[in-house]
Amino acid sequence: MMLRPATVFAILVGLGLWLPLVQFKPNRIAAGEGIRLDQALAGGPVIALAVLGLLVLSCIWRMPDRMRIVLALAGMAGSLVVLGHAARSLSVEAGNLARLAPASGFWLMLLGFSLMLADGVARLGPSLPARWLILGLVLVAGFGILASGMLDQISVMREYATRRAAFLHEAKRHLQLAFGSLGLALLVGLPLGTGIYMMRRLRGPVLAALNILQTIPSLALFGIMLPLLAWLAATLPAAGRWGVSGIGAFPALIALFLYALLPVVSNTLSGLETVPRATREAAVGLGMTRWQVLGQVLIPLALPSLIAALRIVLVQNIGLAVIAGLIGGGGFGTFVFQGLNQMAMDLVLLGTLPTIALALLAGIVLDLLIEHVARGRP
Amino acid sequence: MIELQDLTRMFDGQPVVRDVSLTVEAGEIVTLVGTSGSGKTTLIRMINRLVEPSSGRVLIEGLDAASLPVHQLRRRIGYAIQGIGLFPHRSVAQNIATVPRLLGWPRARIEDRTDELLELFQLDPARFRDRMPHQLSGGQAQRVGTARALAARPDLLLLDEPFGALDPIIRAQAQTDLRAVQRRLGTTMILVTHDIDEAVLLGDRIAVMDAGRIVQYDRVARILAHPETDFVRAMTGGPEGVFRLLSLVAAAEIAEPGEAPGPPVDAATNLREVLSLCLSSGREALPLRSGGRVTLAAIRALAGRGGQ
Ligand SMILES: Nc1ncnc2c1ncn2[C@@H]1O[C@H](COP(=O)(O)OP(=O)(O)OP(=O)(O)O)[C@@H](O)[C@H]1O
Ligand SMILES: [Mg+2]
């Protein structure tokens, strides 16, 4: 028998209810103990039963999609609220040194509800404005819950509270790295992709070189760049003043840029290649100059592919920018590697959670933009 | 006047067009017929330099085509590509307006011109102007492609199999339309086809192409009456050959004094149609509206002399 999606989501959330909601640690680095929803809160058993009831209902009765979306949104918000409350009431008993982190049950519930949301949205196929609206609602609700202080007793938020300024600084740096390398990759990759489209002979070598680049692990890449850039900074003082150095943000930017080059170049090429030959020849035959053919025919027709490249690269770079933390380049990676060094998982989460959220957000926003562009096309 | 002088084009060491010399008089339609792969597309592409000749020259009104900036040359030569190649992201009107826009015509003039062309090709401007190419049938797309080639009133129009995708009825209509458009504008035209009937119907002259060479270039009647090689004979002759000949001659040309029964026909009606009317109505002769008659015997005699 095929499992219906609704059943799968229900099983996920159900499992989440049964697994520990929060992890309790007497102090920051001690071993933890899991606590279930029904143990964590006074009203816990009632809430768990109510949610279970709704889940069973969602399995046996085919809910309208709208209702499912509302249920999922409420579920996501509810999981956060319940987590915050549980943490608060537990911390009152345990004192200030204790740490309360979201545990497997919480993550499963969040996963189940967000899958339910994605599925509901996909099924309902709401109009583009409606989808922007849903995205906006989720963002506002998320920020609202964070700002309300409800989650302040959660360990990640406590890590955040002690590093507010550093967090904002690294967030800015993370975005600079991701967008900066994307900008560079577009600046170089679009002309390069167009160039090898026109000069067929260069295709093989260029793509091969980019492919090799793509397979070099980031640590090895830093290893190669370190002496090169250090030498460059030493011999050319001007370069040093521009921020060129063997470690820090500059090599991280270069690495991200190099990794982004292949997707940009290959998508540019494949986008241009989808333009039918007759269309291209008609453009030339009617008397368009090279640049007119490129600007009026080739690029507009390759646009969906170019935006797809933008999406791939942005999402990839937001995630990958974490490696900058390895070489003192800043960004959310700083917390990740600090946390790993100190064996403080809460600090690692402070780096990974915003990274994941940003990547998701960028992916969704660009998907919506792609649909805007794709409208009115065959 | 267009002169092709000793044009040759090699691809991968093989000549695809060899030593072609051809003069097209201003205001005439030349149809270029030949089997698939004989080099027709390559030949006309050398005129607008989409393919550069390996040797030889193209003169347009005495001016060497190679001496002009290539995009300026192409804007003066209308070109409807084999395979149409409409711009999928632009509406019908924008497609047609391509060359006028490149030439910087004022908006109002471009709009008038697009509507005029749509009407000329029997496409209602109100219905078709804002359609996208994927919303057209194959035949409509081909007519838009031809309209696009004509938009900036080019001195020369190159049409590469413009009616390939049309069914026989629409095709006949499109051929008549094109002929009418050409008569009105006086555009010089080179039209590629592998349909000999189309070549006969539309051409003032026919150039027959085989394996990269022009094997015969002549007025339509002469090609039909005096094929110079077996290839041309095979192309123009066959069981239909005699009817093609008759289709070139007007009834008035072999009219004789006298009476005939039944409804009269126009003096301009071609003999193929006269013959068909005689046979279907069981008459030996038809009266002409302008007086006199055409007899079956006269048609038979003319066909026997090979149309002369
Ligand atoms: N760019 C090219 N490179 C190599 N060979 C080519 C090229 N263009 C055309 N040819 C070859 O030249 C020959 C003539 O091609 P062309 O397109 O001129 O034929 P055609 O008479 O227009 O045929 P059709 O009626 O099928 O359109 C063919 O054998 C073709 O393979
Ligand atoms: Mg051809």
Side-chain angles (χ1 to χ4, degrees):
Chain A
M1 197 194 86
M2 269 277 291
L3 277 182
R4 285 201 306 129
T7 319
V8 176
F9 308 144
I11 291 175
L12 280 174
V13 176
L15 264 176
L17 286 171
W18 180 65
L19 286 169
L21 174 75
V22 287
Q23 191 190 38
F24 175 85
K25 287 189 289 186
N27 60 56
R28 194 177 177 216
I29 50 175
E33 159 203 4
I35 300 178
R36 281 203 315 266
L37 169 60
D38 50 308
Q39 306 160 326
L41 267 182
V46 182
I47 298 176
L49 277 179
V51 174
L52 264 179
L54 271 176
L55 289 176
V56 171
L57 183 69
S58 82
C59 290
I60 53 179
W61 175 53
R62 202 176 268 279
M63 248 181 239
D65 291 321
R66 265 168 223 281
M67 197 162 159
R68 220 135 41 110
I69 292 174
V70 172
L71 184 67
L73 285 170
M76 287 164 75
S79 316
L80 280 167
V81 171
V82 164
L83 176 73
H85 269 287
R88 199 180 295 177
S89 59
L90 287 170
S91 70
V92 172
E93 299 164 23
N96 219 6
L97 271 183
R99 287 293 175 134
L100 291 150
S104 51
F106 168 76
W107 295 121
L108 269 183
M109 280 199 280
L110 197 64
L111 177 70
F113 283 124
S114 34
L115 286 179
M116 191 189 285
L117 176 67
D119 179 63
V121 169
R123 262 167 209 272
L124 186 63
S127 63
L128 275 176
R131 270 187 271 179
W132 283 110
L133 190 74
I134 294 177
L135 178 64
L137 271 178
V138 171
L139 283 180
V140 168
F143 273 108
I145 289 175
L146 284 179
S148 70
M150 229 181 271
L151 298 180
D152 282 356
Q153 288 308 318
I154 299 296
S155 53
V156 187
M157 292 305 283
R158 288 183 57 185
E159 296 287 350
Y160 167 71
T162 59
R163 297 180 170 73
R164 221 173 278 258
F167 183 85
L168 288 180
H169 176 260
E170 299 304 355
K172 202 173 116 199
R173 171 54 56 84
H174 199 94
L175 289 176
Q176 282 172 343
L177 283 171
F179 279 93
S181 57
L182 170 70
L184 279 180
L186 292 178
L187 216 61
V188 175
L190 292 179
L192 192 57
T194 314
I196 59 173
Y197 169 72
M198 299 214 201
M199 283 169 277
R200 204 167 269 277
R201 266 178 309 131
L202 296 180
R203 260 177 225 191
V206 168
L207 289 178
L210 293 179
N211 260 313
I212 291 174
L213 220 54
Q214 199 79 1
T215 58
I216 303 178
S218 49
L219 267 180
L221 197 57
F222 291 138
I224 299 168
M225 279 195 297
L226 197 146
L228 279 178
L229 292 176
W231 173 81
L232 195 67
T235 31
L236 282 177
R241 248 175 283 130
W242 278 86
V244 175
S245 66
I247 56 167
F250 189 78
L253 190 74
I254 299 296
L256 292 176
F257 156 71
L258 290 177
Y259 287 138
L261 219 41
L262 179 67
V264 172
V265 170
S266 63
N267 267 53
T268 306
L269 181 64
S270 66
L272 290 171
E273 287 205 305
T274 58
V275 179
R277 184 172 144 176
T279 304
R280 205 180 60 228
E281 289 184 342
V284 178
L286 290 169
M288 288 191 189
T289 62
R290 244 168 193 270
W291 293 110
Q292 284 168 334
V293 175
L294 196 64
Q296 295 184 23
V297 179
L298 294 180
I299 291 184
L301 289 175
L303 201 59
S305 206
L306 299 182
I307 300 186
L310 201 76
R311 182 196 188 286
I312 296 170
V313 172
L314 188 58
V315 173
Q316 168 184 308
N317 279 12
I318 288 176
L320 217 51
V322 168
I323 58 165
L326 262 183
I327 49 167
F332 291 132
T334 312
F335 303 127
V336 174
F337 291 107
Q338 267 177 24
L340 287 175
N341 281 337
Q342 305 170 11
M343 303 280 280
M345 278 307 135
D346 305 330
L347 192 51
V348 174
L349 279 184
L350 184 64
T352 43
L353 289 181
T355 307
I356 294 173
L358 264 181
L360 263 176
L361 179 65
I364 294 173
V365 165
L366 281 170
D367 277 342
L368 289 174
L369 286 180
I370 288 173
E371 283 207 31
H372 276 288
V373 172
R375 272 187 167 190
R377 279 172 189 271
Chain B
M1 192 172 75
I2 318 298
E3 291 167 83
L4 313 185
Q5 297 180 343
D6 302 319
L7 280 180
T8 295
R9 172 68 206 204
M10 316 284 286
F11 276 126
D12 311 320
Q14 295 290 318
V16 165
V17 171
R18 325 180 194 198
D19 284 327
V20 168
S21 295
L22 198 80
T23 302
V24 182
E25 299 294 339
E28 279 196 346
I29 300 186
V30 168
T31 47
L32 189 57
V33 276
T35 46
S36 190
S38 55
K40 307 179 296 292
T41 297
T42 308
L43 179 61
I44 62 162
R45 282 184 175 205
M46 283 193 273
I47 298 173
N48 66 5
R49 289 174 58 194
L50 274 178
V51 172
E52 292 288 349
S54 302
S55 64
R57 297 198 302 170
V58 175
L59 300 183
I60 299 178
E61 310 299 339
L63 197 68
D64 193 337
S67 68
L68 285 173
V70 71
H71 56 273
Q72 277 177 25
L73 172 82
R74 290 178 187 145
R75 289 171 195 178
R76 284 177 44 189
I77 301 177
Y79 178 46
I81 188 174
Q82 184 176 14
I84 317 175
L86 294 183
F87 303 130
H89 58 307
R90 291 188 170 174
S91 69
V92 164
Q94 288 170 329
N95 263 284
I96 296 178
T98 305
V99 185
R101 261 183 48 191
L102 292 174
L103 293 171
W105 286 18
R107 247 178 88 121
R109 186 168 167 216
I110 293 182
E111 280 169 16
D112 289 349
R113 181 68 180 150
T114 11
D115 285 359
E116 180 192 345
L117 281 164
L118 282 171
E119 266 163 22
L120 221 47
F121 284 95
Q122 321 263 346
L123 298 167
D124 177 13
R127 277 180 57 211
F128 285 95
R129 204 188 282 131
D130 296 321
R131 288 222 191 155
M132 299 307 281
H134 72 274
Q135 298 169 313
L136 301 176
S137 75
Q140 289 161 348
Q142 269 189 334
R143 278 178 277 166
V144 172
T146 311
R148 179 174 69 177
L150 265 169
R153 301 187 184 285
D155 316 318
L156 171 64
L157 188 57
L158 306 174
L159 302 175
D160 201 344
E161 305 200 18
F163 307 127
L166 306 191
D167 64 76
I169 294 174
I170 305 280
R171 188 180 179 115
Q173 182 62 49
Q175 288 165 342
T176 321
D177 291 347
L178 182 69
R179 187 85 226 188
V181 171
Q182 194 268 347
R183 288 285 171 262
R184 236 178 79 187
L185 305 176
T187 316
T188 314
M189 249 186 228
I190 301 178
L191 184 144
V192 172
T193 174
H194 38 224
D195 174 3
I196 184 72
D197 285 309
E198 183 166 281
V200 168
L201 180 71
L202 291 176
D204 294 304
R205 293 170 200 270
I206 296 181
V208 181
M209 204 163 176
D210 181 26
R213 292 183 199 280
I214 300 283
V215 288
Q216 190 171 358
Y217 177 49
D218 239 321
R219 296 214 147 267
V220 177
R222 275 199 60 82
I223 290 249
L224 293 182
H226 300 287
E228 279 172 12
T229 67
D230 289 343
F231 180 78
V232 181
R233 195 167 301 120
M235 196 97 200
T236 60
E240 297 272 332
V242 65
F243 297 114
R244 287 188 193 112
L245 265 174
L246 291 177
S247 72
L248 296 175
V249 184
E253 290 180 43
I254 59 162
E256 54 183 58
E259 302 283 317
V265 295
D266 240 28
T269 315
N270 73 53
L271 291 184
R272 184 180 189 158
E273 286 174 50
V274 173
L275 176 64
S276 159
L277 275 172
C278 284
L279 295 179
S280 60
S281 63
R283 291 179 281 176
E284 283 295 316
L286 299 186
L288 291 186
R289 210 162 266 137
S290 51
R293 62 177 185 179
V294 193
T295 63
L296 262 186
I299 295 177
R300 197 179 300 127
L302 181 85
R305 293 196 307 274
Q308 300 304 297

Short mmCIF file of all heavy atoms in Angstrom, two decimals, chain A residues 9-34:
data_model
loop_
_atom_site.label_atom_id
_atom_site.label_comp_id
_atom_site.label_asym_id
_atom_site.label_seq_id
_atom_site.Cartn_x
_atom_site.Cartn_y
_atom_site.Cartn_z
N PHE A 9 3.61 12.71 7.01
CA PHE A 9 3.82 13.87 7.88
C PHE A 9 3.34 13.56 9.30
O PHE A 9 3.98 13.91 10.29
CB PHE A 9 3.08 15.10 7.35
CG PHE A 9 3.38 15.40 5.90
CD1 PHE A 9 2.41 15.90 5.06
CD2 PHE A 9 4.65 15.15 5.39
CE1 PHE A 9 2.69 16.16 3.73
CE2 PHE A 9 4.93 15.41 4.06
CZ PHE A 9 3.95 15.91 3.23
N ALA A 10 2.19 12.87 9.38
CA ALA A 10 1.63 12.55 10.68
C ALA A 10 2.60 11.65 11.45
O ALA A 10 2.81 11.84 12.65
CB ALA A 10 0.28 11.87 10.51
N ILE A 11 3.19 10.67 10.75
CA ILE A 11 4.14 9.77 11.42
C ILE A 11 5.34 10.56 11.94
O ILE A 11 5.79 10.38 13.08
CB ILE A 11 4.59 8.66 10.46
CG1 ILE A 11 3.41 7.72 10.18
CG2 ILE A 11 5.76 7.87 11.05
CD1 ILE A 11 3.71 6.65 9.16
N LEU A 12 5.84 11.49 11.11
CA LEU A 12 6.99 12.30 11.51
C LEU A 12 6.67 13.09 12.78
O LEU A 12 7.43 13.06 13.76
CB LEU A 12 7.38 13.27 10.40
CG LEU A 12 8.22 12.69 9.26
CD1 LEU A 12 8.40 13.73 8.15
CD2 LEU A 12 9.57 12.23 9.78
N VAL A 13 5.54 13.80 12.74
CA VAL A 13 5.18 14.63 13.88
C VAL A 13 4.92 13.75 15.10
O VAL A 13 5.34 14.07 16.23
CB VAL A 13 3.97 15.52 13.56
CG1 VAL A 13 3.55 16.31 14.79
CG2 VAL A 13 4.29 16.46 12.42
N GLY A 14 4.25 12.62 14.87
CA GLY A 14 3.95 11.69 15.97
C GLY A 14 5.22 11.21 16.64
O GLY A 14 5.34 11.21 17.88
N LEU A 15 6.18 10.81 15.82
CA LEU A 15 7.48 10.40 16.34
C LEU A 15 8.10 11.52 17.15
O LEU A 15 8.69 11.30 18.21
CB LEU A 15 8.41 10.06 15.18
CG LEU A 15 8.52 8.59 14.77
CD1 LEU A 15 9.41 8.46 13.55
CD2 LEU A 15 9.07 7.78 15.93
N GLY A 16 7.94 12.73 16.62
CA GLY A 16 8.49 13.91 17.29
C GLY A 16 7.90 14.07 18.68
O GLY A 16 8.60 14.44 19.62
N LEU A 17 6.60 13.76 18.80
CA LEU A 17 5.95 13.88 20.10
C LEU A 17 6.51 12.86 21.08
O LEU A 17 6.60 13.10 22.28
CB LEU A 17 4.44 13.66 19.95
CG LEU A 17 3.65 14.80 19.31
CD1 LEU A 17 2.23 14.35 19.03
CD2 LEU A 17 3.65 16.02 20.22
N TRP A 18 6.89 11.71 20.54
CA TRP A 18 7.31 10.60 21.38
C TRP A 18 8.78 10.72 21.79
O TRP A 18 9.20 10.25 22.84
CB TRP A 18 7.05 9.32 20.57
CG TRP A 18 7.42 8.07 21.29
CD1 TRP A 18 6.84 7.58 22.43
CD2 TRP A 18 8.44 7.17 20.92
NE1 TRP A 18 7.42 6.42 22.78
CE2 TRP A 18 8.42 6.13 21.87
CE3 TRP A 18 9.36 7.11 19.88
CZ2 TRP A 18 9.29 5.05 21.81
CZ3 TRP A 18 10.22 6.03 19.81
CH2 TRP A 18 10.20 5.02 20.76
N LEU A 19 9.56 11.41 20.92
CA LEU A 19 10.99 11.59 21.21
C LEU A 19 11.18 12.83 22.10
O LEU A 19 10.27 13.64 22.24
CB LEU A 19 11.76 11.76 19.89
CG LEU A 19 11.93 10.48 19.09
CD1 LEU A 19 12.46 10.79 17.69
CD2 LEU A 19 12.87 9.52 19.81
N PRO A 20 12.37 12.99 22.68
CA PRO A 20 12.59 14.13 23.57
C PRO A 20 12.41 15.46 22.85
O PRO A 20 12.87 15.63 21.72
CB PRO A 20 14.05 13.99 24.01
CG PRO A 20 14.46 12.63 23.64
CD PRO A 20 13.53 12.11 22.61
N LEU A 21 11.72 16.39 23.51
CA LEU A 21 11.51 17.72 22.96
C LEU A 21 12.72 18.61 23.23
O LEU A 21 13.21 19.29 22.35
CB LEU A 21 10.27 18.34 23.62
CG LEU A 21 9.97 19.80 23.28
CD1 LEU A 21 9.39 19.91 21.88
CD2 LEU A 21 9.00 20.39 24.29
N VAL A 22 13.19 18.58 24.47
CA VAL A 22 14.37 19.38 24.82
C VAL A 22 15.42 18.49 25.44
O VAL A 22 15.13 17.42 25.99
CB VAL A 22 14.04 20.51 25.82
CG1 VAL A 22 13.28 21.60 25.16
CG2 VAL A 22 13.31 19.96 27.03
N GLN A 23 16.65 18.98 25.30
CA GLN A 23 17.74 18.27 25.94
C GLN A 23 18.21 19.13 27.12
O GLN A 23 18.47 20.32 26.95
CB GLN A 23 18.87 18.08 24.94
CG GLN A 23 19.92 17.13 25.45
CD GLN A 23 21.13 17.15 24.57
OE1 GLN A 23 21.53 18.20 24.08
NE2 GLN A 23 21.71 15.98 24.35
N PHE A 24 18.29 18.50 28.26
CA PHE A 24 18.64 19.23 29.47
C PHE A 24 20.08 18.92 29.85
O PHE A 24 20.48 17.76 29.94
CB PHE A 24 17.69 18.83 30.61
CG PHE A 24 18.06 19.43 31.92
CD1 PHE A 24 17.63 20.71 32.25
CD2 PHE A 24 18.85 18.72 32.83
CE1 PHE A 24 17.98 21.26 33.46
CE2 PHE A 24 19.20 19.29 34.03
CZ PHE A 24 18.78 20.56 34.35
N LYS A 25 20.89 19.97 30.02
CA LYS A 25 22.27 19.76 30.46
C LYS A 25 22.50 20.63 31.68
O LYS A 25 22.14 21.81 31.68
CB LYS A 25 23.26 20.19 29.35
CG LYS A 25 23.30 19.23 28.18
CD LYS A 25 24.43 19.54 27.21
CE LYS A 25 24.16 20.80 26.42
NZ LYS A 25 25.18 21.01 25.38
N PRO A 26 23.08 20.07 32.76
CA PRO A 26 23.32 20.86 33.97
C PRO A 26 24.22 22.06 33.70
O PRO A 26 24.08 23.10 34.34
CB PRO A 26 24.01 19.88 34.92
CG PRO A 26 23.85 18.53 34.32
CD PRO A 26 23.54 18.69 32.88
N ASN A 27 25.18 21.92 32.75
CA ASN A 27 25.96 23.08 32.35
C ASN A 27 26.31 22.99 30.88
O ASN A 27 25.94 22.02 30.20
CB ASN A 27 27.22 23.22 33.22
CG ASN A 27 28.09 21.98 33.08
OD1 ASN A 27 28.48 21.63 31.96
ND2 ASN A 27 28.35 21.31 34.18
N ARG A 28 27.09 23.95 30.35
CA ARG A 28 27.26 24.10 28.91
C ARG A 28 27.87 22.88 28.23
O ARG A 28 27.54 22.55 27.10
CB ARG A 28 28.14 25.33 28.65
CG ARG A 28 28.12 25.79 27.21
CD ARG A 28 28.97 27.04 27.11
NE ARG A 28 29.05 27.52 25.74
CZ ARG A 28 30.14 28.07 25.23
NH1 ARG A 28 31.23 28.18 25.96
NH2 ARG A 28 30.13 28.50 24.00
N ILE A 29 28.83 22.20 28.92
CA ILE A 29 29.51 21.11 28.22
C ILE A 29 29.22 19.74 28.82
O ILE A 29 29.74 18.73 28.35
CB ILE A 29 31.05 21.34 28.19
CG1 ILE A 29 31.55 21.66 29.59
CG2 ILE A 29 31.42 22.46 27.23
CD1 ILE A 29 33.07 21.79 29.65
N ALA A 30 28.33 19.68 29.82
CA ALA A 30 28.01 18.38 30.41
C ALA A 30 27.18 17.55 29.44
O ALA A 30 26.65 18.06 28.46
CB ALA A 30 27.23 18.59 31.71
N ALA A 31 27.08 16.21 29.71
CA ALA A 31 26.25 15.35 28.89
C ALA A 31 24.78 15.67 29.17
O ALA A 31 24.43 16.09 30.27
CB ALA A 31 26.54 13.89 29.20
N GLY A 32 23.92 15.47 28.18
CA GLY A 32 22.54 15.89 28.34
C GLY A 32 21.58 14.74 28.58
O GLY A 32 21.91 13.57 28.45
N GLU A 33 20.35 15.14 28.90
CA GLU A 33 19.30 14.15 29.14
C GLU A 33 18.06 14.66 28.41
O GLU A 33 17.72 15.84 28.51
CB GLU A 33 19.08 14.08 30.66
CG GLU A 33 17.75 13.52 31.09
CD GLU A 33 17.39 14.00 32.51
OE1 GLU A 33 18.15 14.81 33.09
OE2 GLU A 33 16.35 13.57 32.99
N GLY A 34 17.38 13.78 27.65
CA GLY A 34 16.24 14.21 26.85
C GLY A 34 14.96 14.26 27.68
O GLY A 34 14.74 13.43 28.55
#
